[in-house]
Amino acid sequence: EVQVVESGGGLVQAGGSLRLSCVTSGFTFDDYAIDWFRQAPGKEREGVACFSSRRNSTYYVDSVKGRFTVSSDNAKNTVYLQMNSLKPEDTAVYYCAAVSVPICVGIHAQPSMDYWGKGTLVTVSS
């Protein structure tokens, strides 16, 4: 059974940090890239970052570049999203998703993602 489970969300003040985790199981971790997406209230879901362990490649959208970092613990089939210098506009439900294309040259298209988590809420207060 495939599982993709996010955790680590919460309430934080602007300027603070959070680390989200995406624990996966049921598929070969190295054969997939893991993308992070977020959906703010009233807005469409958007891509944030991508990580591929096989190529050790990453990609960040401009709005988070320099503030967010993706990493992994391959032994635990887990991807992390370290979020620093958080802003109120980072408030959203954050999702991780897996796609069977193990390289990051951008954010993968949402319809192409194979597996999705249920999301974790991040709230940044001003």
Side-chain angles (χ1 to χ4, degrees):
E1 178 188 5
V2 172
Q3 290 193 321
V4 178
V5 181
E6 306 93 338
S7 64
L11 174 64
V12 64
Q13 288 188 332
S17 298
L18 280 176
R19 189 179 79 158
L20 305 184
S21 299
C22 175
V23 179
T24 72
S25 62
F27 58 88
T28 303
F29 188 69
D30 284 352
D31 290 345
Y32 286 73
I34 302 295
D35 287 45
W36 285 94
F37 298 87
R38 66 185 181 186
Q39 187 166 22
K43 296 188 177 181
E44 293 187 352
R45 189 163 55 190
E46 62 176 1
V48 174
C50 177
F51 177 85
S52 169
S53 64
R54 181 187 291 185
R55 307 288 180 95
N56 198 30
S57 64
T58 59
Y59 181 88
Y60 303 92
V61 296
D62 287 346
S63 60
V64 307
K65 202 172 293 182
R67 301 189 299 123
F68 290 12
T69 304
V70 287
S71 62
S72 74
D73 182 336
N74 293 353
K76 296 181 179 179
N77 292 343
T78 298
V79 174
Y80 303 101
L81 182 66
Q82 178 67 43
M83 307 186 295
N84 299 329
S85 302
L86 282 162
K87 305 175 182 180
E89 51 263 44
D90 294 318
T91 294
V93 177
Y94 283 73
Y95 301 88
C96 63
V99 60
S100 56
V101 179
I103 189 168
C104 297
V105 292
I107 302 296
H108 294 94
Q110 294 185 43
S112 71
M113 307 308 288
D114 295 294
Y115 309 114
W116 287 87
K118 294 183 178 180
T120 185
L121 176 63
V122 172
T123 304
V124 184
S125 63
S126 58

